[in-house]
Amino acid sequence: MLHDLFPPGIQHVLDLAGIFVFATAGALLAVRKNFDVFGICVLALVTALGGGLFRDLVIGAVPPAAFGELSFFVTPLIAAVIVFFLHPEVQRINRAINVFDAAGLGLFCVTGTTKAYEFGFGLTASAALGVATAVGGGVLRDVLANEVPSLLRDREMYAVPAIVGASMVAEFIAFDVLNAVTTALAIVTTFVLRLLAMRYHWRAPLAWNRRSSVAEEP
């Protein structure tokens, strides 16, 4: 479906852009955790390709795109090398991680939804796989870095923007209005919603009658 919205070259650039920003986020977290160069490369690869790999296995797109296109594998390594030499000061790393992560979130939830729909999945299942594409790599990254996955503790709404973006794409498909403009709108909405959530500390509701001031379990 994306090949109907964008020329093949543009589509490939968008795929690589999403991979690059997610890989950068993973590599920056590895730097913050004081991982060595191998750990930086592993987190970059897992963050960039994990969600798409899960989606492709579920929808039956084998071999997965991560193994069928050399540039998809090389791009995270390039991002890892760049971060290895040019990572920002330690106090700025967390902000950089969040900005890159928000950009990747917007790109991946859209591409994941459209690809699942192309393989014959319904709109709801396609949106769910779009969310999995967007957050799956981040979950694997956090587990490997010994962090509580953002998906489970949705501080400052990590999963919700991906759900919104994937749902927008599903609705655009349902009403036959999915085009380059509406696709860009879904990506930008996800990205901006995530940034606003970080800026104003929005978060998903806690358990009923649990005060937000109560300390969370470590």
Side-chain angles (χ1 to χ4, degrees):
M1 180 171 293
L2 281 180
H3 60 267
D4 296 326
L5 304 176
F6 303 104
I10 298 298
Q11 178 186 342
H12 190 65
V13 169
L14 289 175
D15 288 338
L16 293 180
I19 289 172
F20 183 83
V21 294
F22 262 31
T24 302
L28 285 171
L29 179 59
V31 171
R32 195 183 75 183
K33 288 285 187 175
N34 292 321
F35 287 5
D36 61 19
V37 63
F38 180 75
I40 293 173
C41 290
V42 167
L43 277 199
L45 285 165
V46 166
T47 308
L49 304 178
L53 179 62
F54 171 79
R55 176 205 61 216
D56 287 350
L57 291 176
V58 170
I59 68 178
V62 291
F67 297 101
E69 177 62 54
L70 181 62
S71 60
F72 288 171
F73 190 81
V74 172
T75 299
L77 297 180
I78 294 174
V81 171
I82 292 173
V83 170
F84 180 80
F85 288 105
L86 301 176
H87 65 85
E89 297 83 355
V90 173
Q91 63 268 25
R92 297 179 56 194
I93 286 178
N94 191 55
R95 176 175 294 183
I97 289 172
N98 290 332
V99 172
F100 281 117
D101 204 53
L105 201 69
L107 287 166
F108 276 34
C109 73
V110 170
T111 57
T113 303
T114 54
K115 185 169 184 178
Y117 186 76
E118 281 184 326
F119 274 75
F121 282 69
L123 293 176
T124 301
S126 296
L129 285 170
V131 175
T133 304
V135 305
V139 170
L140 292 174
R141 173 200 66 201
D142 291 343
V143 169
L144 290 176
N146 199 29
E147 298 253 324
V148 176
S150 299
L151 181 65
L152 302 182
R153 286 187 180 180
D154 204 6
R155 294 189 182 94
E156 299 172 344
M157 295 205 310
Y158 181 75
V160 171
I163 294 172
V164 171
S167 299
M168 288 177 65
V169 173
E171 289 298 318
F172 292 150
I173 293 172
F175 289 99
D176 197 25
V177 293
L178 187 68
N179 53 48
V181 174
T182 54
T183 298
L185 177 62
I187 294 172
V188 172
T189 299
T190 305
F191 177 67
V192 171
L193 184 58
R194 171 63 176 154
L195 292 183
L196 288 174
M198 291 188 294
R199 173 66 178 82
Y200 295 105
H201 306 292
W202 297 342
R203 65 173 300 165
L206 297 173
W208 182 253
N209 283 336
R210 181 174 175 84
R211 299 186 306 276
S212 61
S213 59
V214 177
E216 295 181 352
E217 294 294 332

